[in-house]
Amino acid sequence: MKQISYFIYLELIILIAGSLLSYQNKIEIFLSSLIPFLIYGIESYLYLNFKKTNPLQSTRILIFGFIFKMAFFGPFLLGFIYFYAFNTRIFVFSFLCSIILFHTLEAMIIGSFFKLKDNKV
């Protein structure tokens, strides 16, 4: 999927831009982008693999992925912001940019399967 490589490049641009804008907060910018990258990467990998073999299982992956992300990201943000002293605006900005970026990627991956189905008909 060509889209995945584009989104990885966009994530790298977010990391570089964030590091250049706020050099003293490099660790926060990296951590706030790494966690969504890993979770969406795992979910996309599982979705793409199960989409080929078992379409019903791929729908379950999306449902459980959504539930897991909501259950994980909320406490992650609260815990990280509460226990770690830093500039929270930089962290939240980078985190939200990554979430929006990877949520868009997920929507494009799902949409591409419907386009493939329409082209075959």
Side-chain angles (χ1 to χ4, degrees):
M1 305 230 40
K2 192 187 272 189
Q3 300 150 336
I4 293 173
S5 61
Y6 292 146
F7 280 90
I8 290 173
Y9 295 140
L10 285 172
E11 178 64 19
L12 290 174
I13 290 171
I14 290 171
L15 288 173
I16 291 169
S19 295
L20 291 174
L21 292 173
S22 181
Y23 182 75
Q24 64 274 14
N25 296 327
K26 288 186 300 188
I27 295 171
E28 291 84 2
I29 292 169
F30 179 74
L31 286 176
S32 64
S33 294
L34 179 68
I35 301 300
F37 179 77
L38 291 176
I39 290 176
Y40 277 98
I42 291 168
E43 183 186 17
S44 297
Y45 174 77
L46 290 173
Y47 179 76
L48 291 172
N49 281 339
F50 281 108
K51 184 67 177 175
K52 295 174 189 173
T53 58
N54 187 357
L56 183 60
Q57 185 68 21
S58 64
T59 304
R60 289 183 184 152
I61 296 270
L62 290 176
I63 292 168
F64 288 127
F66 177 77
I67 293 168
F68 175 77
K69 286 182 283 194
M70 293 304 109
F72 177 77
F73 285 145
F76 170 75
L77 276 175
L78 289 174
F80 203 78
I81 291 171
Y82 183 76
F83 292 114
Y84 189 67
F86 62 95
N87 185 354
T88 56
R89 282 183 259 160
I90 298 294
F91 177 83
V92 171
F93 176 75
S94 180
F95 184 80
L96 289 177
C97 285
S98 297
I99 291 290
I100 291 168
L101 178 74
F102 292 119
H103 193 68
T104 305
L105 171 64
E106 186 178 50
M108 289 179 73
I109 289 173
I110 294 168
S112 70
F113 288 116
F114 290 112
K115 287 180 186 175
L116 289 175
K117 199 181 246 187
D118 290 340
N119 290 339
K120 289 181 181 178
V121 173

